[in-house]
Every structure is written in structure tokens, then in C-alpha cells.
Amino acid sequence: MSARAVVTAGTGGIGLETAMGLAARGFTVTVVGRNAERGAIAVDRIAEVATGGPTRFVAADLASLDAVRGLAAHLAAEGPLKVLVNNVGAMFAERQRTVDGIEASFAVNHLSPYLLTELLLDRLRAGGPSRIVNVSSGAIKVAKRTFDAVEPPGGYYGFHWYGRAKLANLAYTLDLAERLRDTGVTVFAADPGGAATDMTNGTMTSPKIVSPGLRLMWPLVRRAFERSTAGPAFLAARSSIVAATDPALDGRTGLLIGPEALPVPAFRGSTDPRIVADVLRLSRRSAPLHGHADAQPG
Ligand SMILES: NC(=O)c1ccc[n+]([C@@H]2O[C@H](COP(=O)([O-])OP(=O)(O)OC[C@H]3O[C@@H](n4cnc5c(N)ncnc54)[C@H](OP(=O)(O)O)[C@@H]3O)[C@@H](O)[C@H]2O)c1
């Protein structure tokens, strides 16, 4: 059987294109999503280009930490893993909490990929040399860089809170790369740039997603959003595919692969030791590897 790869949120948007890219390169791909019907359609599309083993769909709502734990157990039981692409991400126009009582942007964009990665590390070590790819975002540039609690002080602005969760995940990713140095598991972040997907089509149209300062310039901001998210998902998937497979990255780790599918400097704050320490503390507290989250919304 060919090497196994898992792509979360791999049944639509950038994740589906990433899964197709990996399958075309000979990986046996498992895609994760919530909706079984969408999963079946995605499996058929991926199978058309696959050159490795049979494509599979596994259902899990990655907004639930228990569902992440269940998914990890399921995937771990299937044996060694060569590639894990944590592609799941979401922006919420209105403040929402998950079933665990955790603010949804932080849960979906950071805690869920953090938890899945930690729970699959043994399987990734067993599959080594192997790679972890965490999907990032340029929204990090507007993130509030404070991680004392899941929710930052001040009002809820979906785009900024999304960026802050992505900053947490990038800080975790770059730290993990160091932690796993010389273990055979290398770790990358991938910034897709932008693409027209369900996420961007559904959430980038309301001035409510940005802070009051940016709202004053909403027509300009909206045009910038429209321009940056106009491209096709297959182009946005290049950074993840390169991060997961490019032989030129063999032996390298801890890199952010940019929208042009080349290494770029990491976003500000992501290597700040204070931010890294706060993110790690918050992640361990909010998403324990076994058992239940503290469900401390604050
Ligand atoms: N699009 C952009 O311009 C852009 C820019 C920068 C970064 N990104 C990042 O790129 C990644 C992919 O974004 P995208 O635009 O392709 O998103 P998308 O279109 O919303 O992704 C759709 C996929 O996400 C799955 N999904 C959504 N919520 C889920 C959940 N709670 N549990 C399991 N699966 C879930 C969907 O499955 P179901 O249909 O079953 O729900 C589907 O497979 C994200 O990490 C995003 O933050 C995107």
C-alpha cells in the first residue's frame, strides 16, 4: 500500500484540491469532513486522479474536541502516517461557541489541529520521514497578539479573531518543528494566499468582520478582500502540496510556505517566545489530549 496522507476539511475548497494533488502524487488519501454526501462526491473526484491506494472519507466535526479525539483514535489504528495536512479553518461573522463551550474561531483554527497533531505524533514518527502541514493565513497580520485566554479582550471581529487563532497555530507549528527536530517528522505551515471558496464567499461580505477602524474604510477593505480571494482553489492549494511533498524541502523544517509555493518569512509574533509560551499553555489547558476541555470560555 502506498504512503498514507490525511487532509482535514478535504472534501471541498482548498482541502479538496490539496487531497487531489497528494493523490495524484501516489499517496493513499483520507479526507475528513462533516457531510457524508459531500465526502462521497470528493472521494469520486480524488479517485479520478489518484495513482496510489483507495481514497477514503472519514466523518468528523472538527469543531468538537471529542470528535477530534475520536478521529485521531480511528486514524491511529490504521497504521503509520506519512503526511498530515491540517487544512481545517473557518471564520465566523458572529461570535459562536462550540459544543465544548469554546469560542469557535480559536477551537476550529487552532485547538482542533493542535489536538489532532499531538494525538497522531506516534503514527507520524512511525511513518517517518513524514510531514505535518498546518494551513495558515495572511489574516495573522491583523491579529491581536495576546494569549492569556481563549478570547482576547475587546469586541468580537471575526476576521481579526480568525487571524489571532491562525497566529496561535503558526506559533505552535514553528515550535513543534523545533520539538520534533531530528525525529524524522518535519513541520511546515502553508499560506494559501486566497481563493474563492465557501469560507470566503460566505463570510467576507459584511463590515462586521473587521474592527471599527477598518470599518471606516470598508469599501477599500472589501475590494482588497475581493481581489485577494478571487482566485481558484487549485492555485491556493499549491503551498500545502509543496509543503507536503516537495523533495527540495527534505531535511528542512519549521518553514512557512507562501502563496507562491516558496518559503517566506514567518508572520510577526509567531516566533516571539512569550507568545509561544502563552499559546502552548492555553492549548494544553483548553484541549487536553485525553478527557475533556476545561470549557473556560474566557
Ligand atoms: N479561502 C481563502 O481565501 C483562504 C485564505 C487564507 C487561508 N485559508 C485557509 O485555508 C483552509 C481551507 O479554506 P477554504 O477556503 O478551502 O475553506 P472552506 O471552503 O470552508 O472548506 C470547506 C471544507 O471544510 C470542511 N469543514 C468546514 N468546517 C468543518 C468542521 N467543523 N469539521 C470538519 N470539516 C469542516 C468542509 O466539510 P463539510 O462540507 O462536510 O462541512 C469542506 O471539506 C482553511 O484553513 C482556511 O483558514 C483560506
Side-chain angles (χ1 to χ4, degrees):
M1 178 125 131
S2 70
R4 286 175 67 222
V6 170
V7 182
T8 67
T11 62
I14 297 167
L16 174 57
E17 297 292 343
T18 303
M20 289 172 70
L22 298 185
R25 286 163 179 76
F27 285 89
T28 298
V29 175
T30 298
V31 286
V32 180
R34 290 170 295 191
N35 183 300
E37 205 176 313
R38 224 175 150 178
I41 294 168
V43 165
D44 286 347
R45 283 196 57 193
I46 298 163
E48 279 172 24
V49 298
T51 57
T55 307
R56 288 195 321 116
F57 165 73
V58 178
D61 181 353
L62 297 167
S64 155
L65 295 179
D66 266 347
V68 173
R69 292 184 189 99
L71 173 67
H74 181 100
L75 295 173
E78 292 181 336
L81 195 54
K82 201 82 177 160
V83 166
L84 170 63
V85 182
N86 285 303
N87 169 75
V88 75
M91 185 166 57
F92 301 93
E94 306 282 345
R95 188 193 299 242
Q96 287 184 33
R97 290 194 202 289
T98 65
V99 286
D100 301 298
I102 300 173
E103 190 280 317
S105 327
F106 201 75
V108 175
N109 294 291
H110 172 57
L111 293 178
S112 157
Y114 155 79
L115 185 58
L116 187 63
T117 303
E118 292 292 327
L119 292 171
L120 288 176
L121 282 183
D122 280 352
R123 299 288 81 199
L124 285 153
R125 278 197 198 91
S130 56
R131 296 189 191 182
I132 298 166
V133 179
N134 288 338
V135 177
S136 195
S137 168
I140 285 178
K141 290 177 207 151
V142 299
K144 203 172 248 182
R145 295 198 281 269
T146 160
F147 294 97
D148 296 331
V150 166
E151 298 184 32
Y156 180 82
Y157 313 113
F159 185 62
H160 301 255
W161 286 41
Y162 163 75
R164 176 177 170 273
K166 289 288 192 185
L167 172 58
N169 197 249
L170 182 60
Y172 163 67
T173 301
L174 299 180
D175 183 73
L176 181 68
E178 289 312 313
R179 174 152 62 105
L180 296 181
R181 204 174 267 284
D182 301 325
T183 63
V185 186
T186 52
V187 187
F188 299 91
D191 175 6
T197 64
D198 286 356
M199 185 181 94
T200 51
N201 295 343
T203 52
M204 308 291 277
T205 49
S206 162
K208 280 172 68 178
I209 65 169
V210 295
S211 63
L214 285 182
R215 255 177 238 174
L216 294 172
M217 304 186 286
W218 176 245
L220 282 176
V221 173
R222 182 175 179 156
R223 260 203 302 285
F225 280 158
E226 281 169 356
R227 260 199 313 274
S228 65
T229 60
F234 80 87
L235 278 183
R238 284 181 314 169
S239 56
S240 287
I241 296 169
V242 162
T245 65
D246 191 345
L249 297 174
D250 282 352
R252 305 187 70 187
T253 193
L255 297 174
L256 171 63
I257 307 302
E260 302 302 321
L262 293 168
V264 293
F267 293 108
R268 245 179 96 202
S270 58
T271 54
D272 178 329
R274 185 187 52 82
I275 289 180
V276 173
D278 287 351
V279 165
L280 294 181
R281 193 177 315 111
L282 190 54
S283 307
R284 289 186 194 116
R285 194 173 79 207
S286 310
L289 301 194
H290 308 286
H292 295 279
D294 281 355
Q296 300 283 333

